[in-house]
């Protein structure tokens, strides 16, 4: 059995799920975890962040419901308003990091969200992935090269084949069957309860 985590690095609810994901992984070190990027902000949805006027209020709701925090640098980005979220670039970044350390894919995905939602760093900027790679002791030149060459559509197509259209979604794959452990926010206890029926 393995876990498949489908998220979008620019999704506030995915950011909020990071704590649950990290704890579930820590409790099951023997379970492989595959991480797949979804395409929340692609095509015509790649517009200045001020066009998404609901984000600030939504983040207040995220914090109230989950305790997840958003950093001052991110909030400054939100207030300034010209930043463009591009899920294609974020997916390419994940692919590059995942290639460098597939066994740390979930931790790297969490680091990407921290870079954006805490530090206000762009997930379209190669320097962001260089920093994450350095933090994890990875070959940062190789990661940056892979980021520039990666094709995001492969992840988006896999997410679609898994039937995922909202983020985050955590799936347990056992043989030919897939079981949803979480859609949107879920506590560690809720995920563990569902996972226990499959182990």
């Amino acid at each position: 059995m393995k876990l498949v985590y489908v998220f979008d690095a620019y999704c506030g609810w995915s950011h909020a799920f990071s704590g649950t994901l990290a704890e579930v992984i820590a409790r099951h070190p023997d379970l492989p975890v595959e991480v797949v990027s979804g395409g929340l902000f692609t095509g015509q949805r790649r517009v200045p962040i001020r066009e998404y006027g609901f984000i600030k209020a939504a983040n207040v709701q995220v914090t109230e419901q989950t305790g997840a925090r958003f950093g001052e640098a991110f909030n400054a980005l939100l207030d300034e308003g010209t930043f463009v979220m591009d899920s294609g670039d974020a997916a390419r970044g994940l692919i590059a990091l995942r290639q460098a350390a597939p066994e740390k894919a979930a931790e790297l995905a969490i680091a990407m969200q921290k870079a954006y939602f805490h530090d206000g760093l762009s997930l379209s900027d190669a320097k962001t992935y260089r920093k994450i790679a350095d933090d994890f002791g990875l070959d940062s030149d190789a990661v940056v090269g892979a980021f520039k060459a990666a094709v995001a559509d492969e992840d988006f197509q896999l997410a679609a084949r898994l039937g995922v259209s909202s983020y985050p979604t955590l799936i347990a794959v056992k043989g030919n069957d897939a079981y949803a452990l979480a859609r949107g926010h879920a506590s560690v206890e809720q995920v563990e309860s569902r996972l226990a029926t499959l182990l």
Side-chain angles (χ1 to χ4, degrees):
M1 189 168 74
K2 68 177 179 179
L3 301 179
V4 179
Y5 179 55
V6 187
F7 86 127
D8 189 287
Y10 282 120
C11 168
W13 287 104
S14 293
H15 167 57
F17 191 72
S18 293
T20 297
L21 179 65
E23 179 62 24
V24 169
I25 290 168
R27 292 186 186 191
H28 302 279
D30 53 323
L31 272 182
V33 184
E34 183 178 339
V35 183
V36 180
S37 287
L40 194 54
F41 298 99
T42 59
Q44 295 180 340
R45 290 177 60 84
R46 290 177 298 176
V47 296
I49 200 168
R50 65 171 166 262
E51 301 290 323
Y52 295 101
F54 62 85
I55 288 180
K56 188 169 279 191
N59 288 350
V60 170
Q61 185 184 16
V62 168
T63 298
E64 286 175 353
Q65 291 189 25
T66 70
R69 298 288 174 193
F70 298 86
E72 289 182 15
F74 166 74
N75 285 322
L77 206 66
L78 206 53
D79 290 338
E80 194 275 332
T82 61
F83 181 77
V84 176
M85 296 177 288
D86 186 330
S87 293
D89 288 344
R92 293 191 301 113
L94 175 71
I95 290 167
L97 291 166
R98 198 172 62 202
Q99 286 175 356
E103 74 287 355
K104 293 183 179 175
E107 292 91 336
L108 291 163
I110 291 169
M112 285 175 62
Q113 297 215 277
K114 184 176 182 292
Y116 176 60
F117 285 109
H118 286 273
D119 303 332
L121 300 179
S122 171
L123 300 179
S124 294
D125 190 340
K127 291 195 291 290
T128 300
Y129 302 104
R130 184 176 293 282
K131 180 183 184 305
I132 294 171
D134 286 341
D135 289 346
F136 278 78
L138 306 176
D139 182 337
S140 56
D141 287 338
V143 168
V144 168
F147 168 63
K148 292 175 179 175
V151 179
D153 285 350
E154 294 173 7
D155 266 36
F156 297 161
Q157 289 163 7
L158 177 54
R161 284 199 301 275
L162 290 166
V164 175
S165 58
S166 63
Y167 317 105
T169 297
L170 182 63
I171 299 166
V173 177
K174 190 174 185 180
N176 294 321
D177 297 318
Y179 306 86
L181 301 177
R183 285 193 181 96
H185 188 68
S187 68
V188 174
E189 291 69 28
Q190 288 169 324
V191 173
E192 286 291 316
S193 173
R194 293 162 191 157
L195 189 55
T197 66
L198 303 173
L199 292 172

